[in-house]
């Protein structure tokens, strides 16, 4: 199976920065797109940003110009640099990877356990 472990969340003041990391491990066959999603209390999970193995990125409008997604394919790790944070960015941030384990031909979504980001005003 494929496991995702996130790190880097925490409490920060408005205008501050945080960097989230997510490493995929386990019996990895291949990892295709990776990304970050978030879920605020009482709201549905929403896309923040995604990145393909080739480095093509996609951002939610709320993240454009403030967040930067990147990845290290050799390490199966994805990062999210978040700058100019706002209180409305407060949420649990989840890492996502689309891939398959060794021995499987079926790609599927994998999710991390989530990391809390809290932005105080």
């Amino acid at each position: 199976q494929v496991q995702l472990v996130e790190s880097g969340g925490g409490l920060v003041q408005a205008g501050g920065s945080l960097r989230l990391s997510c490493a995929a491990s386990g019996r990895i066959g291949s990892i295709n797109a990776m990304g970050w999603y978030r879920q605020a209390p009482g709201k549905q999970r929403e896309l923040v940003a995604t990145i393909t193995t080739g480095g093509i990125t996609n951002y939610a409008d709320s993240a454009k110009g403030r967040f930067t997604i990147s990845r290290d394919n050799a390490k199966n790790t994805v990062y999210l640099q978040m700058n100019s944070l706002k209180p409305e960015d407060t949420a649990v941030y989840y890492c996502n990877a689309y891939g398959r384990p060794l021995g499987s031909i079926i790609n599927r979504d994998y999710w991390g356990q989530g990391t809390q980001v809290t932005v105080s005003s």
Side-chain angles (χ1 to χ4, degrees):
Q1 284 296 337
V2 177
Q3 295 87 39
L4 301 178
V5 178
E6 301 121 332
S7 61
L11 173 64
V12 65
Q13 288 189 330
S17 298
L18 282 175
R19 188 187 192 217
L20 305 183
S21 299
C22 172
S25 63
R27 300 180 71 251
I28 298 171
S30 68
I31 297 290
N32 303 310
M34 299 186 79
W36 292 93
Y37 292 72
R38 68 185 184 186
Q39 188 167 17
K43 295 187 177 182
Q44 290 189 331
R45 190 173 298 189
E46 63 179 9
L47 168 75
V48 178
T50 61
I51 185 168
T52 68
T53 51
I56 298 172
T57 58
N58 179 50
Y59 293 93
D61 287 343
S62 59
K64 289 178 182 176
R66 300 187 300 125
F67 296 0
T68 302
I69 189 170
S70 61
R71 67 187 285 176
D72 184 332
N73 291 330
K75 295 181 179 179
N76 288 315
T77 299
V78 64
Y79 307 95
L80 185 67
Q81 177 66 43
M82 303 186 293
N83 299 327
S84 302
L85 282 161
K86 305 174 181 179
E88 50 263 44
D89 294 318
T90 296
V92 178
Y93 283 70
Y94 295 92
C95 175
N96 169 267
Y98 186 71
R100 58 180 177 82
L102 280 172
S104 174
I105 61 172
I106 299 174
N107 287 297
R108 51 155 285 191
D109 282 305
Y110 293 91
W111 294 92
Q113 79 285 357
T115 185
Q116 177 69 47
V117 171
T118 303
V119 184
S120 63
S121 57

